[in-house]
Amino acid sequence: MTRVAYVCADPGVPIFGTKGSSVHVQEIVRAWRGSGADVTVYCARRGTDRPADLADLDVIEVRPEPAPAGAAREQAVQEAALALVDEVLHRGCGLVYERYSLFSPALSVLAPVLDIPSVLEVNAPLIEEQQRYRQLVDIKKAETVLRRNAGTADVVACVSEPVIRWVRDRVPAARTVLVPNGVNVGRITPRMAGRRSPDHLTVAFVGTLKPWHGVPGLLHGVALANAQTTDASRRWRVLVIGDGPVRVDLERLAAALGVEAEFTGAVTPDAVPGLLNAADAAAAPYPPDVAGQDDYFSPLKVYEYMAAAMPIIASSVGQIPYILDDGRTGILVQPGEPAAIAQALTRLGEDPLLREGLGRSARDDAVTRFSWDGVLARITASLPPLRRVAAP
């Protein structure tokens, strides 16, 4: 049995939380355990929303010491990561799997010392993200940590081609492999066929409510679609599953547009399937300023919509055209064009067979192309032959 040390030293990623990053951690852990591995998680933030099936998961938490924003906080994060390294060395392991974070050198220390296989998972160009959206003081240290970890890892698993390019620009010799995100097709099962209400249709959005997720475009699109129909039963309402800093602005916008919108607030991952089952379609309405800038993302929400057999409307940006086949597993629209969203909603509202056909095909692709077991299998298959471990 392989003993896996899963390291997540990012204090912004609770292992047991409601964020997409938390879901990602949990699903990779489930896939490892499903393969027969013994997994211990070493983290900077445990979180409080532990699912029942991970009740027995061994989690070692070392929180960074409280520090003001800036250099002191960055140093505290690195020191907590080094304390996690000590914990792994004390307990031992047969493989280290680290979710890349800005100031954790864990993999570059553990893999050579223990002489074990190692995987670095890179989900985003965190250096630029931190500079753009938050604060990054010690850029040199962040660059050094990335070079050492990516240069040491047997496999650098990247969620998209832009992330691969970002890693290779800094570490040309990095052994990168493209591994888009996935979905738990056992946890998220197909929604029941048919309308949810004879009086209206519901389009769902799942995610943290931040400006770059494009929910205002969805609300404007719904308002346009509703204005163009005289059939009340084809009018759309919006179900927003999640919470975030722009929630109040979105609530005000929905009211101003006359769009009926329900905001659930933050929910646990286990609650998402049931909420999706209450909707007739789902949306990933990314705005145009994402294209060309943040197009590295591999959005978990789209995979979850697919697993739930939802008809999907999504902006044609980033990795979404790779995930969705326009007209077969979803409807792709130009980003930032509410009229295009309205047209797609009208098509779905008028054609129940289209809704069901898109959903069935999306579910089929989720099962055959995007299961988390398949994600992990691609990663482990990329390990050098002499360092390969059992995979699902």
Side-chain angles (χ1 to χ4, degrees):
M1 177 184 292
T2 303
R3 295 179 61 202
V4 175
Y6 184 111
V7 180
C8 179
D10 188 339
V13 180
I15 303 304
F16 304 121
T18 61
K19 300 168 69 172
S21 54
S22 303
V23 173
H24 195 289
V25 171
Q26 292 173 28
E27 295 297 358
I28 289 292
V29 168
R30 287 187 178 102
W32 272 116
R33 282 159 57 107
S35 75
D38 178 14
V39 182
T40 299
V41 172
Y42 299 83
C43 66
R45 186 176 170 192
R46 180 183 285 109
T48 58
D49 299 302
R50 185 189 286 252
D53 68 314
L54 298 178
D56 62 337
L57 178 65
D58 193 9
V59 179
I60 308 301
E61 179 189 62
V62 177
R63 285 181 171 267
E65 290 294 328
R73 183 180 183 279
E74 293 175 0
Q75 182 62 31
V77 169
Q78 184 172 64
E79 289 174 357
L82 291 171
L84 290 173
V85 168
D86 287 341
E87 291 287 347
V88 178
L89 290 174
H90 175 70
R91 291 165 172 258
C93 67
L95 179 145
V96 58
Y97 186 110
E98 180 163 21
R99 181 185 175 98
Y100 165 59
S101 59
L102 283 170
F103 298 109
S104 170
L107 185 147
S108 64
V109 175
L110 291 168
V113 169
L114 297 176
D115 189 24
I116 54 175
S118 57
V119 177
L120 181 68
E121 175 193 285
V122 183
N123 297 282
L126 292 185
I127 294 171
E128 282 79 2
E129 262 197 2
Q130 189 78 4
Q131 289 175 301
R132 184 181 305 161
Y133 299 118
R134 293 173 285 274
Q135 179 189 41
L136 181 59
V137 176
D138 198 337
I139 299 173
K140 182 178 179 181
K141 180 185 290 184
E143 294 275 6
T144 298
V145 165
L146 174 63
R147 285 196 300 270
R148 289 178 177 172
N149 280 344
T152 300
D154 290 308
V155 174
V156 181
C158 302
V159 297
S160 66
E161 290 286 0
V163 171
I164 286 179
R165 292 194 294 270
W166 182 78
V167 171
R168 287 181 175 170
D169 283 346
R170 289 157 177 79
V171 193
R175 294 168 286 276
T176 56
V177 60
L178 175 63
V179 189
N181 285 331
V183 66
N184 187 327
V185 295
R187 182 176 68 86
I188 300 183
T189 55
R191 59 190 285 280
M192 295 175 60
R195 288 181 64 119
R196 294 309 179 255
S197 168
D199 301 322
H200 59 260
L201 294 159
T202 299
V203 57
F205 168 87
V206 176
T208 305
L209 302 184
K210 294 183 178 179
W212 54 86
H213 285 162
V215 180
L218 174 61
L219 295 173
H220 280 285
V222 169
L224 286 173
N226 288 346
Q228 294 166 4
T229 183
T230 58
D231 185 345
S233 69
R234 292 179 181 170
R235 290 176 61 84
W236 290 87
R237 65 188 288 274
V238 181
L239 175 63
V240 180
I241 303 168
D243 208 348
V246 300
R247 174 176 174 174
V248 172
D249 294 336
L250 294 173
E251 290 174 332
R252 290 172 178 163
L253 177 60
L257 293 171
V259 172
E260 182 184 349
E262 176 186 351
F263 291 77
T264 67
V267 301
T268 63
D270 288 346
V272 170
L275 291 167
L276 286 178
N277 193 53
D280 300 279
Y286 291 98
D289 55 0
V290 170
Q293 295 184 29
D294 296 337
D295 61 356
Y296 57 82
F297 58 92
S298 181
L300 287 173
K301 65 171 62 65
V302 174
Y303 299 103
E304 293 186 340
Y305 298 161
M306 295 176 74
M310 307 289 294
I312 303 163
I313 301 169
S315 298
S316 184
V317 297
Q319 304 302 298
I320 291 178
Y322 165 83
I323 303 167
L324 293 177
D325 184 3
D326 187 29
R328 186 180 69 85
T329 60
I331 298 176
L332 298 183
V333 299
Q334 288 299 307
E337 294 188 11
I341 294 176
Q343 183 180 20
L345 288 167
T346 299
R347 283 182 62 194
L348 292 177
E350 293 175 346
D351 193 342
L353 293 179
L354 176 63
R355 294 199 301 271
E356 300 306 324
L358 290 173
R360 283 195 303 271
S361 297
R363 170 69 187 186
D364 289 344
D365 271 20
V367 172
T368 59
R369 297 176 59 199
F370 300 122
S371 73
W372 283 114
D373 287 347
V375 168
L376 181 59
R378 286 193 290 276
I379 293 172
T380 54
S382 300
L383 287 166
L386 294 178
R387 299 174 75 78
R388 200 157 291 168
V389 297

